[in-house]
């Protein structure tokens, strides 16, 4: 006798998978006798982490009707030019570029979580983007405020701009300003649309935010951000793309994920080689730490085009659904 989970149960398991992974990572990090802070970033290079961004090549190829090879080439060229501009910004204005990356990360992570909640709680009122930005700002603000020296360490190694008391003060001030700004936006949104606060979507959104607060308060910054990136953000993004581009019901979810990793290789292989080639030039750290820092540097210069591309895909998807 075969046993098959009903569709709603499967959806629930998928929805709660990321936060379950994060909790399990917390347990494992407490049980193992060695630090996972750098290891988690190396794992992310090969599983979900780098792949979730490298899947941009699939988005570029498939998001567009009657798209020619030349059209695809133009989009790839635009993508690489934005990466190049981000890299030049990092070399010319390291502190400003890193802080800008922090803001973008807060927005990007928050909006990705919002998309996941909107998909699962489709019958609940849609949550305001400002609430998502506030949740995303926790990823950046809490480590920067409570552990400024450790939070800056990877970027100090990337830019050869070492941590100091002045950098600590800048990060603390920045984190308070970021939280305050997004809290203001969220409060304004709340006054305009109070009915969202009583939905199932908002309930789980707030509960997950509370778990995230404890995660970032009691976990070293490198592991906290790396764990959230891998377990929450990258996993949810891959789930979204699996539903969007890999809807063949005959294949298992595992086989779809394997295919997604394979399809991401045209972007993924050059990205991983770039990280491995850049790692020896990091200013400090062990071999594993240098690879972790170099991967963070790569995400820094590639997040802007990734965010723009994904936002465009979601906007087109939303218009098509409403139409």
């Amino acid at each position: 006798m075969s046993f098959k989970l009903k569709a709603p149960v499967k959806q629930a398991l998928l929805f709660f998978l990321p936060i379950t992974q994060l909790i399990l990572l917390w347990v494992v990090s407490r049980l193992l006798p060695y630090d996972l802070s750098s290891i988690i970033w190396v794992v992310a290079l090969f599983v979900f982490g780098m792949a979730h961004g490298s899947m941009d090549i699939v988005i570029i190829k498939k998001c567009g009707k009657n798209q020619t090879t030349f059209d695809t080439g133009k989009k790839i060229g635009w993508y690489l030019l934005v990466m190049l501009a981000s890299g030049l910004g990092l070399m010319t204005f390291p502190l400003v570029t890193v802080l800008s990356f922090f803001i973008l990360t807060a927005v990007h992570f928050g909006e990705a979580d919002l998309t996941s909640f909107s998909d699962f709680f489709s019958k609940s009122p849609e949550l305001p983007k400002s609430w998502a930005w506030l949740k995303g700002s926790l990823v950046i603000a809490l480590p920067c405020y409570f552990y400024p020296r450790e939070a800056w360490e990877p970027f100090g190694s990337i830019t050869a701009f070492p941590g100091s008391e002045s950098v600590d003060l800048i990060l603390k001030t920045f984190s308070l300003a970021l939280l305050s700004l997004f809290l203001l936006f969220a409060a304004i949104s709340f006054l305009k649309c109070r009915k969202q606060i009583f939905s199932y979507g908002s309930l789980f959104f707030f509960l997950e935010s509370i778990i995230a607060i404890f995660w970032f308060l009691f976990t070293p910054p490198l592991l906290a951000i790396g764990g959230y990136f891998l377990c929450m953000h990258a996993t949810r993004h891959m789930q979204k793309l699996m539903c969007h581009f890999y809807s063949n019901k005959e294949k298992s979810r595992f086989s779809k994920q394997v295919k997604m990793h394979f399809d991401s290789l045209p972007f993924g292989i050059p990205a991983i080689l770039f990280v491995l080639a850049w790692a020896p030039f990091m200013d400090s750290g062990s071999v594993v730490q240098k690879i972790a820092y170099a991967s963070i540097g790569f995400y820094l210069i590639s997040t802007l085009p990734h965010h723009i591309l994904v936002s465009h895909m979601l906007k087109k998807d939303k218009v098509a659904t409403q139409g």
Side-chain angles (χ1 to χ4, degrees), residues 246-302:
Y246 300 82
S247 57
N248 188 343
K249 295 181 180 180
E250 295 179 359
K251 293 184 178 180
S252 67
R253 284 182 171 81
F254 177 77
S255 64
K256 289 178 184 178
Q257 291 290 350
V258 171
K259 181 166 177 27
M260 290 170 72
H261 279 73
F262 181 80
D263 290 347
S264 73
L265 291 180
F267 267 14
I269 290 177
I272 292 172
L273 291 177
F274 179 89
V275 168
L276 295 177
W278 193 12
F281 296 96
M282 293 297 104
D283 195 51
S284 61
S286 65
V287 173
V288 176
Q289 284 177 320
K290 287 183 176 182
I291 295 174
Y293 295 167
S295 69
I296 293 171
F298 182 84
Y299 297 135
L300 189 156
I301 64 176
S302 62

Side-chain angles (χ1 to χ4, degrees), residues 198-211:
F198 301 109
S199 66
Y200 284 112
S202 65
L203 173 62
F204 284 100
F205 191 80
F206 292 136
L207 288 175
E208 189 174 283
S209 298
I210 292 171
I211 293 174

Side-chain angles (χ1 to χ4, degrees), residues 32-44:
L32 293 181
Y34 44 84
D35 187 10
L36 298 177
S37 297
S38 297
I39 295 173
I40 197 74
W41 290 97
V42 177
V43 171

Side-chain angles (χ1 to χ4, degrees), residues 39-76:
I39 295 173
I40 197 74
W41 290 97
V42 177
V43 171
L45 271 180
F46 303 99
V47 182
F48 279 13
M50 184 63 77
H52 103 279
S54 299
M55 278 293 292
D56 286 352
I57 186 63
V58 175
I59 299 175
I60 289 173
K61 288 180 177 180
K62 295 189 177 183
C63 275
K65 293 182 179 179
N66 303 318
Q67 185 169 274
T68 64
T69 303
F70 181 70
D71 293 330
T72 301
K74 284 196 299 183
K75 290 181 180 179
I76 294 174

Side-chain angles (χ1 to χ4, degrees), residues 149-317:
R149 193 64 58 93
E150 295 90 339
W152 181 256
E153 185 178 342
F155 302 99
S157 185
I158 292 166
T159 62
F161 193 96
S164 62
E165 290 185 2
S166 60
V167 173
D168 291 351
L169 180 60
I170 289 171
L171 290 181
K172 286 192 171 187
T173 305
F174 169 81
S175 60
L176 287 176
L178 185 68
L179 268 178
S180 299
L181 181 63
F182 285 151
L183 183 61
L184 176 62
F185 289 162
I188 294 172
S189 297
F190 170 71
L191 293 175
K192 289 183 177 180
C193 43
R194 297 183 184 182
K195 63 180 181 179
Q196 276 91 334
I197 196 72
F198 301 109
S199 66
Y200 284 112
S202 65
L203 173 62
F204 284 100
F205 191 80
F206 292 136
L207 288 175
E208 189 174 283
S209 298
I210 292 171
I211 293 174
I213 289 172
F214 280 96
W215 168 255
F216 286 106
L217 284 178
F218 299 106
T219 308
L222 195 61
L223 176 59
I225 298 175
Y228 193 92
F229 166 67
L230 180 61
C231 297
M232 300 286 289
H233 177 70
T235 299
R236 279 181 169 159
H237 186 70
M238 293 291 272
Q239 287 178 342
K240 177 67 177 179
L241 294 181
M242 182 174 66
C243 296
H244 203 283
F245 297 118
Y246 300 82
S247 57
N248 188 343
K249 295 181 180 180
E250 295 179 359
K251 293 184 178 180
S252 67
R253 284 182 171 81
F254 177 77
S255 64
K256 289 178 184 178
Q257 291 290 350
V258 171
K259 181 166 177 27
M260 290 170 72
H261 279 73
F262 181 80
D263 290 347
S264 73
L265 291 180
F267 267 14
I269 290 177
I272 292 172
L273 291 177
F274 179 89
V275 168
L276 295 177
W278 193 12
F281 296 96
M282 293 297 104
D283 195 51
S284 61
S286 65
V287 173
V288 176
Q289 284 177 320
K290 287 183 176 182
I291 295 174
Y293 295 167
S295 69
I296 293 171
F298 182 84
Y299 297 135
L300 189 156
I301 64 176
S302 62
T303 294
L304 181 56
H306 170 66
H307 177 73
I308 294 172
L309 186 69
V310 171
S311 296
H312 180 66
M313 179 196 78
L314 295 175
K315 184 178 180 180
K316 287 182 66 177
D317 189 32

